[in-house]
């Protein structure tokens, strides 16, 4: 990718030099030469200049983002993403994997491009759910046991109490392997039950059960000229129980600049956020206080 960009830059620079040489040869007027140089500079950079001028205005006149509350146990959330026009199957899977853990969140509703709503829910009154909670608790204890043994081993290694490859060190290593194996087995059993607990229903926004929280993403209504340089997104999270907004965010995303186009696709707008909360807004409100209790563990490699 870098080589392709570099090649285009090189071609452009050679082209500019040839044109400037022709202009310089044909006239002695300084303002024409300077204008030619300005044009060559502005062709690849004018969009950067305009984007930053407009961005400065919009970013300094927009409402200030806020997060008044974070929620550890929302239980049910309706996500309405009008920026992407609703959740397709891939996006639905992503949202379920990320949020619907059966502990903190038991129901999740997502808007569809058809105008309908898909509802994923877990029956927390069933025997299977109680079995899921039991396995979840056992899994957490198994992971904690493993961490405690690992911590104890490293403290003794660092303190010079035991040596690597010694009989006691090998005993620690074997205990860690057994605990880790047990944790993985419990994680697998728990996830199998969890998969069977999920019910999927298609409904409408009017007929779906009342959700405790509503998270909306909406495209901002900007004029056509501004949309040539960036687009805006407005995020709102509403507490249906307390009947109040608990979080608000507005952010603007720039286009792919002429000087750094999107060679890897056909996208117009980049992920470069000009202002507003740049991170995933829902993570800060809903996921900040909880860990994914049923997802596969992503651990850093640790030296035994």
């Amino acid at each position: 990718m870098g080589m392709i960009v570099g090649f285009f830059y090189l071609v452009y620079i050679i082209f500019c030099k040839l044109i400037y040489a022709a202009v310089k040869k044909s006239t002695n007027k300084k303002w024409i030469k300077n204008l030619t140089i300005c044009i060559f500079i502005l062709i690849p950079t004018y969009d950067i200049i305009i984007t930053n001028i407009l961005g400065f205005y919009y970013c300094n006149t927009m409402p200030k983002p806020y997060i008044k509350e974070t929620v550890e146990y929302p239980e049910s959330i309706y996500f309405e993403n009008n920026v992407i026009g609703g959740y397709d199957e891939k996006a639905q899977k992503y949202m379920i994997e990320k949020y619907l853990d059966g502990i903190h969140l038991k129901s999740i509703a997502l808007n569809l491009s058809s105008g309908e709503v898909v509802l994923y829910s877990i029956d927390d009154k069933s025997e299977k759910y109680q079995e899921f909670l039991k396995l979840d608790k056992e899994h957490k204890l198994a992971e904690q046991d493993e961490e405690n043994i690992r911590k104890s081993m490293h403290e003794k290694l660092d303190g010079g109490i035991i040596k690597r490859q010694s009989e006691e060190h090998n005993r620690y290593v074997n205990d860690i392997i057994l605990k880790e194996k047990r944790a993985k087995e419990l994680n697998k059993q728990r996830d199998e039950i969890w998969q069977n607990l999920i019910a999927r229903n298609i409904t409408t926004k009017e007929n779906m059960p009342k959700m405790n929280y509503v998270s909306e993403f909406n495209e901002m209504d900007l004029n056509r000229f501004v949309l040539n340089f960036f687009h805006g997104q407005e995020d709102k999270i509403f507490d249906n129980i307390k009947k109040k907004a608990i979080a608000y965010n507005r952010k603007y995303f720039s286009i792919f600049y002429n000087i750094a186009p999107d060679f890897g696709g056909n996208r117009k707008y980049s992920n470069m956020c000009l202002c507003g909360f740049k991170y995933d807004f829902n993570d800060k409100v809903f996921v900040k206080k909880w860990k994914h209790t049923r997802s596969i563990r992503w651990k850093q490699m640790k030296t035994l």
Side-chain angles (χ1 to χ4, degrees), residues 24-285:
K24 191 175 180 181
K25 192 175 182 180
S26 63
T27 182
N28 290 321
K29 292 182 179 180
K30 191 174 180 180
W31 71 270
I32 295 179
K33 296 176 185 178
N34 291 338
L35 178 62
T36 303
I37 294 172
C38 288
I39 291 172
F40 289 152
I41 293 173
L42 287 174
I43 286 174
T45 62
Y46 78 91
D47 53 347
I48 299 175
I49 297 169
I50 296 175
T51 297
N52 282 277
I53 292 172
L54 290 173
F56 178 81
Y57 169 76
Y58 277 89
C59 289
N60 283 280
T61 56
M62 73 177 191
K64 189 175 181 180
Y66 63 81
I67 296 176
K68 292 181 179 178
E69 297 177 17
T70 57
V71 185
E72 187 169 2
Y73 292 93
E75 293 199 359
S76 62
I77 307 173
Y78 170 52
F79 292 95
E80 183 170 297
N81 194 328
N82 296 313
V83 175
I84 61 174
Y87 294 86
D88 58 17
E89 287 188 14
K90 185 177 179 180
Q92 290 174 41
K93 184 178 179 182
Y94 170 79
M95 295 296 286
I96 294 167
E97 287 289 328
K98 186 172 185 178
Y99 293 106
L100 192 64
D101 65 352
I103 305 295
H104 304 84
L105 191 65
K106 299 173 185 177
S107 295
I108 182 172
L110 309 167
N111 71 311
L112 303 175
S113 59
S114 63
E116 296 175 305
V117 171
V118 60
L119 176 66
Y120 292 92
S121 57
I122 292 174
D123 183 5
D124 58 357
K125 302 294 191 297
S126 66
E127 291 183 9
K128 282 288 185 182
Y129 181 73
Q130 298 306 315
E131 188 178 351
F132 165 78
L133 291 179
K134 180 174 174 291
L135 286 169
D136 182 71
K137 185 177 180 180
E138 290 178 9
H139 174 256
K140 286 178 180 176
L141 290 173
E143 280 197 319
Q144 189 60 54
D145 286 345
E146 178 201 334
E147 288 298 322
N148 290 339
I149 294 171
R150 192 186 296 273
K151 183 179 179 182
S152 176
M153 179 190 71
H154 282 292
E155 284 176 351
K156 289 186 177 181
L157 284 171
D158 295 340
I161 299 172
I162 63 173
K163 295 182 178 180
R164 292 190 180 277
Q165 307 305 322
S166 65
E167 184 177 341
E168 190 172 355
H169 176 240
N170 290 332
R171 188 162 56 249
Y172 269 112
V173 170
N174 291 331
D175 284 347
I176 290 170
I177 291 171
L178 288 172
K179 293 293 184 182
E180 189 172 31
K181 183 179 179 181
R182 176 59 178 162
K184 287 181 178 178
E185 289 173 353
L186 289 167
N187 184 63
K188 184 179 178 181
Q189 293 174 32
R190 181 189 60 179
D191 279 2
E192 286 174 354
I193 292 176
W194 182 85
Q195 290 288 344
N196 294 323
L197 278 172
I198 302 174
R200 183 180 188 272
N201 293 293
I202 301 294
T203 181
T204 62
K205 189 174 178 179
E206 294 74 25
N207 295 326
M208 73 176 183
K210 186 177 181 180
M211 311 300 277
N212 291 341
Y213 295 88
V214 176
S215 177
E216 288 186 9
F217 303 98
N218 293 302
E219 189 82 23
M220 291 192 59
D221 185 19
L222 301 175
N223 66 60
R224 288 185 180 181
F225 179 75
V226 173
L227 288 173
N228 287 319
F229 302 97
F230 58 81
H231 78 102
Q233 177 179 319
E234 197 169 51
D235 310 332
K236 301 175 184 177
I237 298 179
F238 190 80
D239 184 336
N240 273 336
I241 300 171
K242 298 178 182 178
K243 303 291 184 185
K244 67 174 185 177
I246 62 170
Y248 174 84
N249 185 34
R250 184 183 290 184
K251 50 190 174 183
Y252 297 102
F253 295 95
S254 72
I255 59 170
F256 281 95
Y257 296 131
N258 292 332
I259 203 168
D262 180 26
F263 286 103
N266 193 31
R267 296 171 297 172
K268 180 177 180 180
Y269 299 107
S270 71
N271 290 324
M272 189 177 78
C273 189
L274 299 175
C275 53
F277 292 141
K278 298 175 176 62
Y279 43 73
D280 190 322
F281 197 48
N282 288 297
D283 283 0
K284 288 293 181 180
V285 177

